[in-house]
PDB file of all heavy atoms in Angstrom:
ATOM      1  N   LYS A  93     155.308 177.143 103.825  1.00 93.00           N
ATOM      2  CA  LYS A  93     156.168 177.284 105.006  1.00 93.00           C
ATOM      3  C   LYS A  93     156.592 175.943 105.588  1.00 93.00           C
ATOM      4  O   LYS A  93     157.721 175.802 106.037  1.00 93.00           O
ATOM      5  CB  LYS A  93     155.441 178.100 106.082  1.00 93.00           C
ATOM      6  CG  LYS A  93     155.181 179.522 105.668  1.00 93.00           C
ATOM      7  CD  LYS A  93     154.385 180.279 106.697  1.00 93.00           C
ATOM      8  CE  LYS A  93     154.157 181.676 106.147  1.00 93.00           C
ATOM      9  NZ  LYS A  93     153.058 182.363 106.726  1.00 93.00           N
ATOM     10  N   LEU A  94     155.674 174.994 105.598  1.00 93.00           N
ATOM     11  CA  LEU A  94     155.937 173.721 106.274  1.00 93.00           C
ATOM     12  C   LEU A  94     156.213 172.561 105.331  1.00 93.00           C
ATOM     13  O   LEU A  94     156.792 171.567 105.744  1.00 93.00           O
ATOM     14  CB  LEU A  94     154.749 173.357 107.173  1.00 93.00           C
ATOM     15  CG  LEU A  94     154.382 174.371 108.247  1.00 93.00           C
ATOM     16  CD1 LEU A  94     153.121 173.944 108.973  1.00 93.00           C
ATOM     17  CD2 LEU A  94     155.535 174.550 109.224  1.00 93.00           C
ATOM     18  N   GLY A  95     155.765 172.668 104.094  1.00 93.00           N
ATOM     19  CA  GLY A  95     155.903 171.578 103.134  1.00 93.00           C
ATOM     20  C   GLY A  95     154.612 170.784 103.014  1.00 93.00           C
ATOM     21  O   GLY A  95     153.767 170.783 103.914  1.00 93.00           O
ATOM     22  N   ALA A  96     154.480 170.104 101.882  1.00 92.00           N
ATOM     23  CA  ALA A  96     153.260 169.339 101.610  1.00 92.00           C
ATOM     24  C   ALA A  96     153.104 168.157 102.556  1.00 92.00           C
ATOM     25  O   ALA A  96     151.994 167.855 103.004  1.00 92.00           O
ATOM     26  CB  ALA A  96     153.258 168.858 100.153  1.00 92.00           C
ATOM     27  N   GLY A  97     154.199 167.476 102.891  1.00 92.00           N
ATOM     28  CA  GLY A  97     154.117 166.295 103.757  1.00 92.00           C
ATOM     29  C   GLY A  97     153.539 166.603 105.128  1.00 92.00           C
ATOM     30  O   GLY A  97     152.542 165.989 105.536  1.00 92.00           O
ATOM     31  N   PRO A  98     154.141 167.547 105.857  1.00 93.00           N
ATOM     32  CA  PRO A  98     153.587 167.851 107.183  1.00 93.00           C
ATOM     33  C   PRO A  98     152.170 168.413 107.145  1.00 93.00           C
ATOM     34  O   PRO A  98     151.323 168.015 107.950  1.00 93.00           O
ATOM     35  CB  PRO A  98     154.565 168.883 107.756  1.00 93.00           C
ATOM     36  CG  PRO A  98     155.838 168.649 107.028  1.00 93.00           C
ATOM     37  CD  PRO A  98     155.424 168.202 105.651  1.00 93.00           C
ATOM     38  N   VAL A  99     151.895 169.326 106.220  1.00 92.00           N
ATOM     39  CA  VAL A  99     150.552 169.926 106.179  1.00 92.00           C
ATOM     40  C   VAL A  99     149.504 168.861 105.857  1.00 92.00           C
ATOM     41  O   VAL A  99     148.496 168.732 106.559  1.00 92.00           O
ATOM     42  CB  VAL A  99     150.486 171.093 105.167  1.00 92.00           C
ATOM     43  CG1 VAL A  99     149.046 171.519 104.913  1.00 92.00           C
ATOM     44  CG2 VAL A  99     151.305 172.264 105.670  1.00 92.00           C
ATOM     45  N   ASN A 100     149.741 168.087 104.816  1.00 91.00           N
ATOM     46  CA  ASN A 100     148.765 167.062 104.458  1.00 91.00           C
ATOM     47  C   ASN A 100     148.735 165.943 105.487  1.00 91.00           C
ATOM     48  O   ASN A 100     147.669 165.397 105.785  1.00 91.00           O
ATOM     49  CB  ASN A 100     149.043 166.518 103.057  1.00 91.00           C
ATOM     50  CG  ASN A 100     148.620 167.487 101.989  1.00 91.00           C
ATOM     51  OD1 ASN A 100     147.559 168.075 102.066  1.00 91.00           O
ATOM     52  ND2 ASN A 100     149.452 167.676 100.985  1.00 91.00           N
ATOM     53  N   GLY A 101     149.877 165.606 106.066  1.00 91.00           N
ATOM     54  CA  GLY A 101     149.918 164.563 107.092  1.00 91.00           C
ATOM     55  C   GLY A 101     149.114 164.926 108.319  1.00 91.00           C
ATOM     56  O   GLY A 101     148.328 164.119 108.838  1.00 91.00           O
ATOM     57  N   VAL A 102     149.294 166.144 108.799  1.00 92.00           N
ATOM     58  CA  VAL A 102     148.527 166.586 109.971  1.00 92.00           C
ATOM     59  C   VAL A 102     147.047 166.690 109.609  1.00 92.00           C
ATOM     60  O   VAL A 102     146.178 166.273 110.388  1.00 92.00           O
ATOM     61  CB  VAL A 102     149.070 167.926 110.527  1.00 92.00           C
ATOM     62  CG1 VAL A 102     148.141 168.494 111.577  1.00 92.00           C
ATOM     63  CG2 VAL A 102     150.467 167.730 111.097  1.00 92.00           C
ATOM     64  N   THR A 103     146.760 167.230 108.426  1.00 91.00           N
ATOM     65  CA  THR A 103     145.362 167.337 107.982  1.00 91.00           C
ATOM     66  C   THR A 103     144.705 165.965 107.938  1.00 91.00           C
ATOM     67  O   THR A 103     143.602 165.767 108.458  1.00 91.00           O
ATOM     68  CB  THR A 103     145.286 168.003 106.593  1.00 91.00           C
ATOM     69  OG1 THR A 103     145.840 169.311 106.674  1.00 91.00           O
ATOM     70  CG2 THR A 103     143.862 168.071 106.075  1.00 91.00           C
ATOM     71  N   SER A 105     145.725 163.129 109.390  1.00 93.00           N
ATOM     72  CA  SER A 105     145.673 162.508 110.717  1.00 93.00           C
ATOM     73  C   SER A 105     144.536 163.091 111.555  1.00 93.00           C
ATOM     74  O   SER A 105     143.800 162.350 112.218  1.00 93.00           O
ATOM     75  CB  SER A 105     147.005 162.694 111.453  1.00 93.00           C
ATOM     76  OG  SER A 105     148.016 161.981 110.793  1.00 93.00           O
ATOM     77  N   MET A 138     149.321 156.414 112.651  1.00 94.00           N
ATOM     78  CA  MET A 138     149.209 157.541 111.714  1.00 94.00           C
ATOM     79  C   MET A 138     149.887 158.770 112.294  1.00 94.00           C
ATOM     80  O   MET A 138     150.688 159.437 111.617  1.00 94.00           O
ATOM     81  CB  MET A 138     147.727 157.797 111.452  1.00 94.00           C
ATOM     82  CG  MET A 138     147.426 158.729 110.371  1.00 94.00           C
ATOM     83  SD  MET A 138     147.577 157.951 108.780  1.00 94.00           S
ATOM     84  CE  MET A 138     147.064 159.356 107.844  1.00 94.00           C
ATOM     85  N   VAL A 139     149.572 159.088 113.541  1.00 94.00           N
ATOM     86  CA  VAL A 139     150.184 160.251 114.199  1.00 94.00           C
ATOM     87  C   VAL A 139     151.697 160.060 114.304  1.00 94.00           C
ATOM     88  O   VAL A 139     152.467 161.017 114.068  1.00 94.00           O
ATOM     89  CB  VAL A 139     149.527 160.507 115.572  1.00 94.00           C
ATOM     90  CG1 VAL A 139     150.300 161.545 116.372  1.00 94.00           C
ATOM     91  CG2 VAL A 139     148.080 160.920 115.399  1.00 94.00           C
ATOM     92  N   ALA A 140     152.144 158.867 114.624  1.00 96.00           N
ATOM     93  CA  ALA A 140     153.584 158.586 114.719  1.00 96.00           C
ATOM     94  C   ALA A 140     154.253 158.803 113.356  1.00 96.00           C
ATOM     95  O   ALA A 140     155.323 159.405 113.263  1.00 96.00           O
ATOM     96  CB  ALA A 140     153.817 157.175 115.218  1.00 96.00           C
ATOM     97  N   GLY A 141     153.614 158.329 112.301  1.00 94.00           N
ATOM     98  CA  GLY A 141     154.167 158.496 110.966  1.00 94.00           C
ATOM     99  C   GLY A 141     154.261 159.962 110.565  1.00 94.00           C
ATOM    100  O   GLY A 141     155.277 160.404 110.016  1.00 94.00           O
ATOM    101  N   VAL A 142     153.240 160.724 110.853  1.00 92.00           N
ATOM    102  CA  VAL A 142     153.254 162.147 110.523  1.00 92.00           C
ATOM    103  C   VAL A 142     154.314 162.873 111.344  1.00 92.00           C
ATOM    104  O   VAL A 142     154.994 163.776 110.835  1.00 92.00           O
ATOM    105  CB  VAL A 142     151.857 162.770 110.732  1.00 92.00           C
ATOM    106  CG1 VAL A 142     151.902 164.283 110.629  1.00 92.00           C
ATOM    107  CG2 VAL A 142     150.882 162.196 109.722  1.00 92.00           C
ATOM    108  N   THR A 143     154.475 162.481 112.598  1.00 93.00           N
ATOM    109  CA  THR A 143     155.513 163.086 113.433  1.00 93.00           C
ATOM    110  C   THR A 143     156.892 162.855 112.823  1.00 93.00           C
ATOM    111  O   THR A 143     157.711 163.777 112.753  1.00 93.00           O
ATOM    112  CB  THR A 143     155.451 162.496 114.866  1.00 93.00           C
ATOM    113  OG1 THR A 143     154.155 162.762 115.406  1.00 93.00           O
ATOM    114  CG2 THR A 143     156.518 163.098 115.749  1.00 93.00           C
ATOM    115  N   LEU A 144     157.134 161.648 112.332  1.00 94.00           N
ATOM    116  CA  LEU A 144     158.427 161.350 111.672  1.00 94.00           C
ATOM    117  C   LEU A 144     158.590 162.181 110.397  1.00 94.00           C
ATOM    118  O   LEU A 144     159.667 162.707 110.120  1.00 94.00           O
ATOM    119  CB  LEU A 144     158.529 159.868 111.367  1.00 94.00           C
ATOM    120  CG  LEU A 144     158.706 158.943 112.571  1.00 94.00           C
ATOM    121  CD1 LEU A 144     158.615 157.489 112.140  1.00 94.00           C
ATOM    122  CD2 LEU A 144     160.021 159.234 113.276  1.00 94.00           C
ATOM    123  N   ILE A 145     157.522 162.293 109.621  1.00 92.00           N
ATOM    124  CA  ILE A 145     157.593 163.069 108.365  1.00 92.00           C
ATOM    125  C   ILE A 145     157.874 164.537 108.664  1.00 92.00           C
ATOM    126  O   ILE A 145     158.715 165.163 108.019  1.00 92.00           O
ATOM    127  CB  ILE A 145     156.282 162.899 107.564  1.00 92.00           C
ATOM    128  CG1 ILE A 145     156.200 161.488 106.983  1.00 92.00           C
ATOM    129  CG2 ILE A 145     156.169 163.948 106.462  1.00 92.00           C
ATOM    130  CD1 ILE A 145     154.846 161.123 106.418  1.00 92.00           C
ATOM    131  N   ALA A 146     157.206 165.076 109.668  1.00 89.00           N
ATOM    132  CA  ALA A 146     157.386 166.494 110.006  1.00 89.00           C
ATOM    133  C   ALA A 146     158.746 166.769 110.606  1.00 89.00           C
ATOM    134  O   ALA A 146     159.342 167.826 110.375  1.00 89.00           O
ATOM    135  CB  ALA A 146     156.280 166.940 110.960  1.00 89.00           C
ATOM    136  N   LYS A 147     159.256 165.814 111.360  1.00 90.00           N
ATOM    137  CA  LYS A 147     160.538 166.016 112.057  1.00 90.00           C
ATOM    138  C   LYS A 147     161.735 165.860 111.141  1.00 90.00           C
ATOM    139  O   LYS A 147     162.743 166.524 111.292  1.00 90.00           O
ATOM    140  CB  LYS A 147     160.634 165.060 113.246  1.00 90.00           C
ATOM    141  CG  LYS A 147     161.804 165.331 114.133  1.00 90.00           C
ATOM    142  CD  LYS A 147     161.718 164.545 115.414  1.00 90.00           C
ATOM    143  CE  LYS A 147     162.927 164.879 116.250  1.00 90.00           C
ATOM    144  NZ  LYS A 147     162.621 165.030 117.642  1.00 90.00           N
ATOM    145  N   PHE A 148     161.637 164.960 110.171  1.00 89.00           N
ATOM    146  CA  PHE A 148     162.799 164.678 109.320  1.00 89.00           C
ATOM    147  C   PHE A 148     162.537 165.074 107.932  1.00 89.00           C
ATOM    148  O   PHE A 148     162.396 165.028 106.995  1.00 89.00           O
ATOM    149  CB  PHE A 148     163.167 163.189 109.411  1.00 89.00           C
ATOM    150  CG  PHE A 148     163.513 162.767 110.813  1.00 89.00           C
ATOM    151  CD1 PHE A 148     162.633 162.031 111.558  1.00 89.00           C
ATOM    152  CD2 PHE A 148     164.712 163.154 111.388  1.00 89.00           C
ATOM    153  CE1 PHE A 148     162.941 161.634 112.853  1.00 89.00           C
ATOM    154  CE2 PHE A 148     165.026 162.766 112.676  1.00 89.00           C
ATOM    155  CZ  PHE A 148     164.139 161.995 113.405  1.00 89.00           C
TER     156      PHE A 148
END
Side-chain angles (χ1 to χ4, degrees):
K93 295 176 182 159
L94 302 175
V99 168
N100 285 317
V102 170
T103 299
S105 294
M138 190 79 177
V139 170
V142 170
T143 301
L144 289 173
I145 289 168
K147 189 169 180 139
F148 300 105

